[in-house]
Coordinates of all heavy atoms in Angstrom, one line a residue:
M1 N 57.9 131.8 174.0 CA 57.9 130.5 173.2 C 56.7 129.7 173.7 O 55.9 129.3 172.9 CB 59.2 129.8 173.4 CG 59.3 128.5 172.5 SD 59.4 128.9 170.8 CE 59.5 127.2 170.1
N2 N 56.5 129.5 174.9 CA 55.4 128.7 175.4 C 54.1 129.4 175.1 O 53.1 128.7 174.8 CB 55.5 128.5 176.9 CG 56.5 127.3 177.2 OD1 56.7 126.5 176.4 ND2 57.2 127.4 178.3
D3 N 54.1 130.7 175.2 CA 52.8 131.4 174.9 C 52.4 131.1 173.4 O 51.2 130.9 173.1 CB 53.0 132.9 175.0 CG 53.2 133.3 176.5 OD1 52.8 132.5 177.3 OD2 53.6 134.4 176.8
V4 N 53.4 131.1 172.5 CA 53.1 130.8 171.1 C 52.6 129.3 171.0 O 51.6 129.1 170.4 CB 54.3 131.0 170.3 CG1 54.0 130.5 168.8 CG2 54.7 132.4 170.2
L5 N 53.3 128.4 171.6 CA 52.9 127.0 171.5 C 51.5 126.8 172.0 O 50.7 126.0 171.4 CB 53.9 126.1 172.3 CG 55.3 126.0 171.7 CD1 56.2 125.2 172.5 CD2 55.2 125.4 170.3
E6 N 51.1 127.4 173.0 CA 49.7 127.2 173.6 C 48.6 127.6 172.6 O 47.5 127.1 172.6 CB 49.6 127.9 174.9 CG 50.3 127.2 176.0 CD 50.3 128.0 177.3 OE1 49.5 129.0 177.4 OE2 51.1 127.7 178.2
A7 N 49.0 128.5 171.7 CA 48.0 129.0 170.7 C 48.0 128.1 169.5 O 47.2 128.3 168.6 CB 48.3 130.4 170.4
C8 N 48.9 127.2 169.3 CA 49.1 126.4 168.1 C 48.1 125.2 168.1 O 48.0 124.5 169.0 CB 50.5 125.9 168.0 SG 51.7 127.3 167.8
L9 N 47.4 125.1 167.0 CA 46.5 124.0 166.8 C 47.1 122.9 165.9 O 46.7 121.7 166.0 CB 45.2 124.5 166.2 CG 44.4 125.5 167.1 CD1 43.2 126.0 166.3 CD2 44.0 124.9 168.4
S10 N 48.0 123.3 165.0 CA 48.5 122.3 164.1 C 49.9 121.8 164.6 O 50.5 122.5 165.4 CB 48.7 122.9 162.7 OG 47.5 123.4 162.2
P11 N 50.3 120.7 164.2 CA 51.6 120.1 164.7 C 52.8 120.9 164.1 O 52.7 121.6 163.1 CB 51.6 118.7 164.1 CG 50.7 118.7 162.9 CD 49.7 119.7 163.2
H12 N 53.9 120.8 164.8 CA 55.2 121.3 164.4 C 56.1 120.1 164.0 O 56.0 119.1 164.6 CB 55.9 122.1 165.5 CG 55.0 123.2 166.1 ND1 54.5 123.1 167.3 CD2 54.6 124.4 165.5 CE1 53.7 124.2 167.5 NE2 53.8 125.0 166.5
V13 N 57.0 120.4 163.1 CA 58.0 119.3 162.8 C 59.0 119.3 163.9 O 59.4 120.3 164.5 CB 58.7 119.5 161.4 CG1 57.7 119.4 160.3 CG2 59.4 120.9 161.4
A14 N 59.5 118.1 164.2 CA 60.5 117.9 165.2 C 61.9 118.3 164.7 O 62.0 118.4 163.4 CB 60.6 116.5 165.7
A15 N 62.8 118.6 165.5 CA 64.2 118.9 165.1 C 64.7 117.7 164.3 O 64.4 116.6 164.5 CB 65.1 119.2 166.3
M16 N 65.6 118.0 163.3 CA 66.1 117.0 162.5 C 67.0 116.1 163.3 O 67.8 116.5 164.1 CB 67.0 117.6 161.4 CG 66.2 118.0 160.2 SD 67.3 118.4 158.8 CE 67.9 120.1 159.3
R17 N 66.8 114.8 163.0 CA 67.6 113.8 163.7 C 68.8 113.5 162.9 O 68.9 113.9 161.7 CB 66.8 112.5 163.9 CG 65.7 112.7 164.9 CD 64.7 111.5 164.9 NE 65.3 110.3 164.5 CZ 64.9 109.1 165.0 NH1 64.1 109.1 166.0 NH2 65.4 108.0 164.6
R18 N 69.8 112.8 163.5 CA 71.1 112.6 162.8 C 70.8 111.7 161.5 O 71.5 111.9 160.5 CB 72.1 111.9 163.7 CG 73.5 112.2 163.3 CD 74.4 111.7 164.4 NE 73.8 110.8 165.4 CZ 74.3 110.5 166.6 NH1 75.5 111.1 166.9 NH2 73.7 109.8 167.4
D19 N 69.9 110.8 161.6 CA 69.6 109.9 160.4 C 68.6 110.5 159.5 O 67.9 109.8 158.7 CB 69.2 108.5 160.9 CG 67.9 108.6 161.8 OD1 67.5 109.7 162.1 OD2 67.3 107.6 162.1
C20 N 68.4 111.8 159.5 CA 67.4 112.5 158.8 C 67.6 112.2 157.3 O 68.6 112.3 156.7 CB 67.5 114.0 159.0 SG 66.2 114.9 158.3
R21 N 66.5 111.8 156.6 CA 66.5 111.5 155.2 C 66.2 112.8 154.4 O 65.4 113.6 154.8 CB 65.3 110.5 154.9 CG 64.9 110.3 153.5 CD 63.7 109.4 153.4 NE 63.1 109.4 152.1 CZ 61.9 109.0 151.8 NH1 61.1 108.6 152.8 NH2 61.4 109.1 150.6
R22 N 67.0 113.0 153.4 CA 66.9 114.2 152.6 C 65.8 114.0 151.5 O 66.0 113.1 150.6 CB 68.2 114.6 151.9 CG 69.2 115.2 152.9 CD 68.7 116.6 153.3 NE 69.4 117.1 154.5 CZ 69.1 118.3 155.0 NH1 68.1 119.0 154.5 NH2 69.8 118.7 156.1
L23 N 64.8 114.8 151.5 CA 63.7 114.6 150.5 C 64.1 115.4 149.2 O 64.9 116.3 149.3 CB 62.4 115.2 151.0 CG 61.9 114.5 152.3 CD1 60.7 115.2 152.8 CD2 61.5 113.0 151.9
E24 N 63.5 115.0 148.1 CA 63.7 115.7 146.9 C 62.7 116.8 146.8 O 61.5 116.5 146.9 CB 63.5 114.7 145.8 CG 63.8 115.2 144.4 CD 63.5 114.2 143.3 OE1 63.4 113.0 143.6 OE2 63.2 114.6 142.2
W25 N 63.1 118.1 146.6 CA 62.2 119.2 146.6 C 62.2 119.8 145.2 O 63.3 120.2 144.7 CB 62.5 120.2 147.6 CG 62.3 119.7 149.0 CD1 63.3 119.3 149.9 CD2 61.1 119.6 149.7 NE1 62.8 118.9 151.1 CE2 61.4 119.0 151.0 CE3 59.8 119.8 149.4 CZ2 60.4 118.8 151.9 CZ3 58.8 119.5 150.3 CH2 59.1 119.0 151.6
N26 N 61.1 119.8 144.5 CA 61.0 120.2 143.1 C 60.2 121.5 143.0 O 59.6 121.9 144.0 CB 60.4 119.1 142.3 CG 61.2 117.8 142.3 OD1 62.4 117.9 142.3 ND2 60.5 116.7 142.5
V27 N 60.2 122.1 141.9 CA 59.4 123.2 141.7 C 57.9 122.8 141.7 O 57.5 121.7 141.5 CB 59.6 123.9 140.3 CG1 61.1 124.5 140.3 CG2 59.4 122.9 139.2
V28 N 57.1 123.8 142.0 CA 55.6 123.5 142.2 C 55.0 123.2 140.8 O 55.3 123.9 139.8 CB 55.0 124.7 142.8 CG1 53.5 124.6 142.8 CG2 55.5 125.0 144.2
R29 N 54.2 122.1 140.8 CA 53.4 121.8 139.6 C 52.1 122.6 139.6 O 51.6 122.9 140.7 CB 53.2 120.3 139.5 CG 54.4 119.6 139.3 CD 54.3 118.1 139.5 NE 53.1 117.5 138.8 CZ 53.0 116.2 138.6 NH1 53.9 115.4 139.0 NH2 52.0 115.8 137.9
S30 N 51.6 122.9 138.5 CA 50.4 123.6 138.4 C 49.2 122.7 138.7 O 49.3 121.5 138.7 CB 50.2 124.3 137.1 OG 50.3 123.3 136.0
G31 N 48.0 123.3 138.8 CA 46.8 122.5 139.0 C 46.2 122.6 140.4 O 46.9 123.0 141.3
R32 N 45.0 122.1 140.5 CA 44.3 122.2 141.7 C 44.7 121.0 142.6 O 44.8 119.9 142.1 CB 42.8 122.1 141.5 CG 42.2 123.4 141.1 CD 40.8 123.1 140.6 NE 40.2 124.4 140.1 CZ 39.4 125.2 140.8 NH1 39.1 124.8 142.0 NH2 39.0 126.3 140.3
V33 N 45.0 121.3 143.8 CA 45.2 120.2 144.8 C 44.4 120.5 146.1 O 44.0 121.6 146.3 CB 46.8 120.2 145.2 CG1 47.6 120.0 143.9 CG2 47.2 121.4 145.9
R34 N 44.3 119.4 146.8 CA 43.5 119.5 148.1 C 44.6 119.4 149.2 O 45.3 118.5 149.2 CB 42.5 118.4 148.1 CG 41.6 118.4 149.3 CD 40.5 117.4 149.1 NE 41.0 116.1 148.7 CZ 41.3 115.1 149.6 NH1 41.1 115.3 150.9 NH2 41.7 113.9 149.1
V35 N 44.5 120.4 150.1 CA 45.5 120.3 151.2 C 44.8 119.5 152.3 O 43.7 119.8 152.8 CB 45.8 121.7 151.7 CG1 46.7 121.6 153.0 CG2 46.4 122.5 150.6
V36 N 45.4 118.4 152.7 CA 44.8 117.4 153.6 C 45.2 117.8 155.1 O 44.3 117.8 156.0 CB 45.2 116.0 153.3 CG1 44.5 115.0 154.2 CG2 44.9 115.7 151.8
V37 N 46.5 117.9 155.3 CA 46.9 118.3 156.7 C 48.1 119.2 156.5 O 48.7 119.3 155.4 CB 47.4 117.0 157.5 CG1 46.2 116.2 157.9 CG2 48.4 116.2 156.7
W38 N 48.4 120.0 157.5 CA 49.4 121.0 157.4 C 50.1 121.2 158.8 O 49.5 120.9 159.9 CB 48.9 122.3 156.9 CG 47.7 122.8 157.7 CD1 47.7 123.6 158.8 CD2 46.3 122.4 157.5 NE1 46.4 123.7 159.3 CE2 45.5 123.1 158.5 CE3 45.7 121.7 156.5 CZ2 44.1 122.9 158.5 CZ3 44.3 121.5 156.5 CH2 43.6 122.2 157.5
T39 N 51.3 121.7 158.8 CA 51.9 122.0 160.1 C 51.6 123.5 160.4 O 51.1 124.3 159.6 CB 53.5 121.9 160.0 OG1 54.0 122.7 159.0 CG2 53.8 120.4 159.6
C40 N 52.0 123.8 161.6 CA 51.6 125.1 162.2 C 52.3 126.3 161.5 O 53.5 126.2 161.2 CB 51.9 125.1 163.7 SG 51.4 126.6 164.5
S41 N 51.6 127.3 161.2 CA 52.1 128.5 160.5 C 52.9 129.4 161.4 O 53.3 130.5 160.9 CB 51.0 129.2 159.7 OG 50.1 129.7 160.7
C42 N 53.1 129.1 162.6 CA 53.9 129.9 163.5 C 55.4 129.8 163.2 O 56.2 130.6 163.6 CB 53.6 129.7 165.0 SG 54.4 128.2 165.6
R43 N 55.7 128.7 162.4 CA 57.1 128.5 162.0 C 57.3 129.1 160.7 O 56.3 129.2 159.9 CB 57.3 127.0 161.9 CG 57.2 126.2 163.3 CD 58.4 126.4 164.2 NE 58.3 125.8 165.4 CZ 58.6 124.5 165.7 NH1 59.1 123.8 164.7 NH2 58.5 124.0 166.9
A44 N 58.5 129.5 160.4 CA 58.8 130.1 159.1 C 58.6 129.1 157.9 O 58.2 129.5 156.9 CB 60.3 130.5 159.1
T45 N 58.8 127.8 158.2 CA 58.6 126.8 157.2 C 57.3 126.0 157.5 O 57.2 125.4 158.6 CB 59.8 125.9 157.1 OG1 60.9 126.7 156.8 CG2 59.6 124.9 155.9
V46 N 56.4 126.0 156.6 CA 55.1 125.3 156.7 C 55.1 124.1 155.7 O 55.4 124.3 154.6 CB 53.9 126.2 156.5 CG1 52.6 125.4 156.6 CG2 53.9 127.3 157.5
Y47 N 54.7 122.9 156.2 CA 54.6 121.8 155.4 C 53.1 121.4 155.2 O 52.4 121.5 156.2 CB 55.3 120.6 155.9 CG 56.8 120.8 156.0 CD1 57.4 121.3 157.2 CD2 57.7 120.5 155.0 CE1 58.7 121.6 157.3 CE2 59.0 120.7 155.1 CZ 59.6 121.3 156.2 OH 60.9 121.5 156.3
E48 N 52.7 121.0 154.0 CA 51.3 120.6 153.8 C 51.3 119.2 153.0 O 52.1 119.1 152.1 CB 50.6 121.6 152.9 CG 50.5 123.0 153.6 CD 50.1 124.0 152.6 OE1 50.6 124.1 151.5 OE2 49.1 124.8 152.9
L49 N 50.5 118.3 153.4 CA 50.3 117.1 152.6 C 49.1 117.4 151.7 O 48.0 117.8 152.1 CB 49.9 115.9 153.5 CG 50.0 114.6 152.8 CD1 50.3 113.5 153.8 CD2 48.6 114.3 152.1
C50 N 49.4 117.3 150.4 CA 48.4 117.7 149.4 C 48.0 116.5 148.6 O 48.8 115.6 148.4 CB 48.9 118.8 148.5 SG 49.5 120.2 149.3
A51 N 46.8 116.5 148.1 CA 46.3 115.3 147.2 C 45.6 115.9 146.0 O 45.0 116.9 146.0 CB 45.4 114.5 148.0
S52 N 45.8 115.1 144.9 CA 45.1 115.5 143.7 C 45.1 114.2 142.8 O 46.1 113.6 142.5 CB 45.9 116.6 143.0 OG 45.3 116.9 141.8
G53 N 43.9 113.9 142.3 CA 43.7 112.8 141.4 C 44.3 111.5 141.8 O 44.9 110.8 141.0
G54 N 44.2 111.2 143.1 CA 44.7 109.9 143.6 C 46.2 109.9 143.9 O 46.7 108.8 144.2
R55 N 46.8 111.0 143.7 CA 48.2 111.1 144.1 C 48.4 112.1 145.2 O 47.5 112.9 145.4 CB 49.0 111.5 142.9 CG 48.6 110.9 141.6 CD 49.6 109.9 141.0 NE 50.7 110.7 140.4 CZ 51.9 110.1 140.2 NH1 52.1 108.8 140.6 NH2 52.9 110.7 139.6
A56 N 49.5 112.0 145.9 CA 49.7 112.9 147.0 C 51.2 113.3 147.0 O 52.1 112.6 146.5 CB 49.3 112.3 148.3
F57 N 51.5 114.4 147.7 CA 52.9 114.9 147.8 C 52.9 115.9 149.0 O 51.9 116.2 149.6 CB 53.3 115.6 146.5 CG 52.4 116.8 146.2 CD1 52.8 118.1 146.5 CD2 51.2 116.6 145.5 CE1 52.0 119.1 146.2 CE2 50.4 117.7 145.2 CZ 50.8 119.0 145.6
I58 N 54.1 116.3 149.3 CA 54.3 117.2 150.4 C 54.7 118.6 149.8 O 55.6 118.6 148.9 CB 55.4 116.8 151.4 CG1 55.2 115.4 151.9 CG2 55.5 117.8 152.5 CD1 54.0 115.2 152.7
R59 N 54.1 119.6 150.2 CA 54.4 121.0 149.8 C 55.1 121.7 150.9 O 54.6 121.7 152.1 CB 53.2 121.7 149.3 CG 53.5 123.2 148.9 CD 52.2 124.0 148.7 NE 51.6 123.5 147.4 CZ 50.3 123.8 147.1 NH1 49.5 124.4 148.0 NH2 49.8 123.4 146.0
R60 N 56.2 122.3 150.6 CA 56.9 123.1 151.6 C 56.9 124.6 151.3 O 57.3 125.0 150.2 CB 58.4 122.6 151.7 CG 59.2 123.4 152.7 CD 60.7 123.0 152.6 NE 61.3 123.4 151.4 CZ 62.5 123.0 151.0 NH1 63.2 122.2 151.7 NH2 63.0 123.5 149.9
T61 N 56.5 125.4 152.2 CA 56.4 126.8 152.0 C 57.3 127.5 153.0 O 57.1 127.4 154.2 CB 55.0 127.4 152.1 OG1 54.1 126.7 151.2 CG2 54.9 128.9 151.9
V62 N 58.3 128.2 152.5 CA 59.1 129.0 153.4 C 58.6 130.4 153.3 O 58.7 131.1 152.3 CB 60.6 129.0 153.0 CG1 61.5 129.8 153.9 CG2 61.1 127.5 153.0
Q63 N 58.0 130.9 154.5 CA 57.4 132.2 154.5 C 58.6 133.2 154.5 O 59.3 133.3 155.5 CB 56.5 132.3 155.7 CG 55.5 131.2 155.8 CD 54.5 131.4 156.9 OE1 53.7 132.3 156.9 NE2 54.7 130.5 157.9
A64 N 58.7 134.0 153.5 CA 59.8 135.0 153.4 C 59.3 136.2 152.6 O 58.3 136.2 151.9 CB 61.0 134.3 152.6
E65 N 60.0 137.3 152.8 CA 59.7 138.5 152.1 C 60.7 138.6 150.9 O 61.9 138.3 151.1 CB 59.9 139.7 153.0 CG 58.9 139.7 154.2 CD 57.5 140.0 153.7 OE1 57.3 140.5 152.6 OE2 56.6 139.6 154.4
P66 N 60.3 139.1 149.8 CA 58.9 139.6 149.5 C 57.9 138.5 149.1 O 56.7 138.7 149.1 CB 59.1 140.5 148.3 CG 60.3 139.9 147.6 CD 61.2 139.3 148.6
V67 N 58.4 137.3 148.8 CA 57.5 136.2 148.4 C 57.9 134.9 149.0 O 59.1 134.7 149.3 CB 57.5 136.0 146.8 CG1 56.8 137.2 146.1 CG2 58.9 135.8 146.3
A68 N 56.9 134.1 149.3 CA 57.2 132.8 149.9 C 57.9 131.9 148.9 O 57.6 132.0 147.7 CB 55.9 132.2 150.4
V69 N 58.7 131.0 149.4 CA 59.4 130.0 148.5 C 58.7 128.7 148.7 O 58.7 128.1 149.8 CB 60.9 129.9 148.8 CG1 61.5 129.0 147.9 CG2 61.5 131.3 148.7
I70 N 58.1 128.2 147.6 CA 57.3 127.0 147.6 C 57.9 125.9 146.8 O 58.3 126.1 145.6 CB 55.9 127.3 147.1 CG1 55.3 128.4 148.0 CG2 55.0 126.0 147.3 CD1 53.9 128.9 147.4
C71 N 58.0 124.7 147.4 CA 58.5 123.5 146.7 C 57.6 122.3 147.0 O 56.9 122.3 148.0 CB 60.0 123.2 147.1 SG 61.2 124.5 146.9
E72 N 57.8 121.3 146.2 CA 57.0 120.1 146.4 C 57.8 118.8 146.2 O 58.8 118.8 145.4 CB 55.8 120.0 145.4 CG 54.8 121.1 145.4 CD 53.8 121.0 144.3 OE1 54.0 120.2 143.4 OE2 52.9 121.8 144.3
T73 N 57.5 117.8 146.9 CA 58.1 116.5 146.7 C 57.5 115.9 145.4 O 56.4 116.3 145.0 CB 57.9 115.5 147.9 OG1 56.5 115.3 148.1 CG2 58.5 116.1 149.2
P74 N 58.1 114.9 144.8 CA 57.5 114.2 143.7 C 56.1 113.6 144.1 O 56.0 113.2 145.2 CB 58.5 113.1 143.4 CG 59.8 113.5 143.9 CD 59.4 114.3 145.2
W75 N 55.2 113.7 143.1 CA 53.9 113.2 143.4 C 53.9 111.6 143.4 O 54.7 111.0 142.6 CB 52.9 113.6 142.3 CG 52.6 115.1 142.4 CD1 53.5 116.1 142.7 CD2 51.4 115.7 142.0 NE1 52.9 117.3 142.6 CE2 51.6 117.1 142.1 CE3 50.2 115.3 141.6 CZ2 50.6 118.0 141.9 CZ3 49.2 116.2 141.3 CH2 49.4 117.6 141.5
G76 N 53.2 111.0 144.3 CA 53.2 109.5 144.4 C 52.0 109.0 145.0 O 51.0 109.8 145.3
P77 N 51.9 107.7 145.3 CA 50.8 107.1 146.0 C 50.6 107.8 147.4 O 51.6 108.2 148.1 CB 51.2 105.7 146.2 CG 52.3 105.4 145.3 CD 53.0 106.8 145.1
P78 N 49.3 108.0 147.8 CA 49.1 108.6 149.1 C 49.8 107.9 150.3 O 50.3 108.6 151.2 CB 47.6 108.5 149.2 CG 47.1 108.5 147.8 CD 48.1 107.8 147.0
R79 N 49.9 106.6 150.2 CA 50.5 105.9 151.3 C 52.0 106.4 151.5 O 52.5 106.5 152.6 CB 50.5 104.4 150.9 CG 51.2 103.5 152.0 CD 51.1 102.0 151.6 NE 51.6 101.8 150.2 CZ 52.9 101.8 149.9 NH1 53.8 102.0 150.8 NH2 53.3 101.7 148.6
E80 N 52.7 106.6 150.4 CA 54.1 107.1 150.4 C 54.1 108.5 151.0 O 55.0 108.9 151.8 CB 54.7 107.1 149.0 CG 55.2 105.8 148.6 CD 55.9 105.8 147.2 OE1 56.2 106.9 146.8 OE2 56.0 104.7 146.6
A81 N 53.1 109.3 150.6 CA 53.1 110.7 151.1 C 52.9 110.7 152.6 O 53.5 111.5 153.3 CB 52.0 111.5 150.4
W82 N 52.0 109.8 153.1 CA 51.8 109.8 154.5 C 53.0 109.3 155.3 O 53.2 109.7 156.4 CB 50.6 108.9 154.8 CG 49.3 109.6 154.6 CD1 48.4 109.4 153.6 CD2 48.7 110.7 155.4 NE1 47.3 110.2 153.7 CE2 47.5 111.0 154.8 CE3 49.1 111.3 156.5 CZ2 46.6 112.0 155.3 CZ3 48.3 112.3 157.1 CH2 47.1 112.7 156.4
E83 N 53.8 108.4 154.7 CA 55.0 107.9 155.3 C 56.0 109.1 155.4 O 56.6 109.3 156.4 CB 55.6 106.8 154.5 CG 54.9 105.5 154.7 CD 55.4 104.4 153.8 OE1 56.4 104.6 153.0 OE2 54.7 103.3 153.7
I84 N 56.1 109.9 154.3 CA 57.0 111.0 154.4 C 56.5 112.0 155.4 O 57.3 112.6 156.1 CB 57.0 111.7 153.0 CG1 57.7 110.7 152.0 CG2 57.8 113.0 153.0 CD1 57.6 111.2 150.5
W85 N 55.2 112.2 155.5 CA 54.6 113.2 156.4 C 55.0 112.8 157.9 O 55.4 113.6 158.7 CB 53.1 113.2 156.2 CG 52.4 114.1 157.1 CD1 51.7 113.9 158.3 CD2 52.4 115.6 157.0 NE1 51.2 115.0 158.8 CE2 51.6 116.1 158.1 CE3 52.9 116.5 156.1 CZ2 51.4 117.5 158.3 CZ3 52.7 117.8 156.2 CH2 51.9 118.3 157.3
A86 N 54.8 111.5 158.2 CA 55.1 111.0 159.5 C 56.6 111.2 159.8 O 57.0 111.6 160.9 CB 54.7 109.6 159.7
A87 N 57.5 111.0 158.8 CA 58.9 111.1 159.0 C 59.3 112.6 159.2 O 60.1 112.9 160.0 CB 59.6 110.6 157.8
L88 N 58.6 113.5 158.4 CA 58.8 114.9 158.6 C 58.5 115.4 160.0 O 59.3 116.1 160.6 CB 57.9 115.7 157.6 CG 58.3 116.2 156.3 CD1 57.2 116.8 155.5 CD2 59.5 117.2 156.4
L89 N 57.4 115.0 160.5 CA 57.0 115.4 161.8 C 57.9 114.9 162.9 O 58.1 115.5 163.9 CB 55.5 115.0 162.1 CG 54.4 115.6 161.3 CD1 53.1 115.2 161.9 CD2 54.5 117.2 161.4
A90 N 58.5 113.7 162.6 CA 59.3 113.0 163.6 C 60.8 113.5 163.5 O 61.6 113.1 164.3 CB 59.2 111.5 163.5
G91 N 61.1 114.4 162.5 CA 62.5 114.8 162.3 C 63.3 113.8 161.6 O 64.5 113.9 161.6
R92 N 62.7 112.8 160.9 CA 63.4 111.8 160.2 C 63.5 112.0 158.7 O 64.1 111.3 158.0 CB 62.8 110.4 160.5 CG 63.0 109.9 161.9 CD 62.5 108.4 162.0 NE 61.0 108.4 162.1 CZ 60.2 108.0 161.1 NH1 60.8 107.6 160.0 NH2 58.9 108.0 161.2
A93 N 62.9 113.1 158.3 CA 63.0 113.5 156.9 C 62.9 115.0 156.8 O 62.2 115.6 157.6 CB 61.9 112.8 156.0
R94 N 63.5 115.6 155.8 CA 63.4 117.0 155.7 C 63.8 117.4 154.3 O 64.6 116.9 153.7 CB 64.4 117.8 156.7 CG 64.0 119.2 156.9 CD 62.7 119.5 157.6 NE 62.3 118.6 158.7 CZ 62.5 118.8 160.0 NH1 63.1 119.9 160.4 NH2 62.0 117.9 160.9
Ligands
LIG1 ZN1 52.8 126.7 166.1

C-alpha cells in the first residue's frame, strides 16, 4: 500500500464521513470538455473536475471490465464544482 502511495502524484478521495452528502450522478453528456484536475488512477474510482463553456461538473469513472462506468454531476457554475470537488476529496460528498 505504501509503495503505491509513494508513486501517486494526484490526490485520493478520503473515506466517506458520516455526514457525507450524496451527489446526483447522471449519464454522461456529449461534447468536448476540459479536464482541470483529477484524482489518482491507482483507485478503482477516478474523479475529474471538468469544464466546458463556462460551466463545470465532476465526472466519475469506475474502472471496470469490460468497460468503465462513467457518470457526471449536473453541470453548473465552476465555483459550485470546486466546492463539490473539495467535499469529495475530504470525504464529505460522494
Ligand atoms: Zn494513487
Side-chain angles (χ1 to χ4, degrees):
M1 185 68 179
N2 282 332
D3 289 342
V4 173
L5 287 176
E6 283 171 16
C8 295
L9 298 175
S10 300
H12 304 110
V13 293
M16 275 191 283
R17 291 165 31 140
R18 208 173 8 199
D19 59 349
C20 187
R21 166 185 169 199
R22 285 289 167 181
L23 299 171
E24 185 185 339
W25 295 103
N26 302 316
V27 295
V28 174
R29 292 166 53 162
S30 57
R32 279 168 186 264
V33 302
R34 184 166 52 90
V35 179
V36 183
V37 287
W38 51 90
T39 62
C40 186
S41 60
C42 77
R43 298 281 179 88
T45 303
V46 175
Y47 298 91
E48 298 166 312
L49 191 154
C50 305
S52 180
R55 318 248 287 162
F57 61 96
I58 309 296
R59 176 188 286 163
R60 180 184 68 189
T61 301
V62 179
Q63 306 182 72
E65 295 293 339
V67 288
V69 181
I70 304 172
C71 303
E72 296 173 354
T73 60
W75 293 33
R79 180 180 51 77
E80 279 180 20
W82 280 108
E83 285 172 7
I84 295 172
W85 181 255
L88 263 176
L89 290 186
R92 288 186 287 104
R94 197 64 40 96

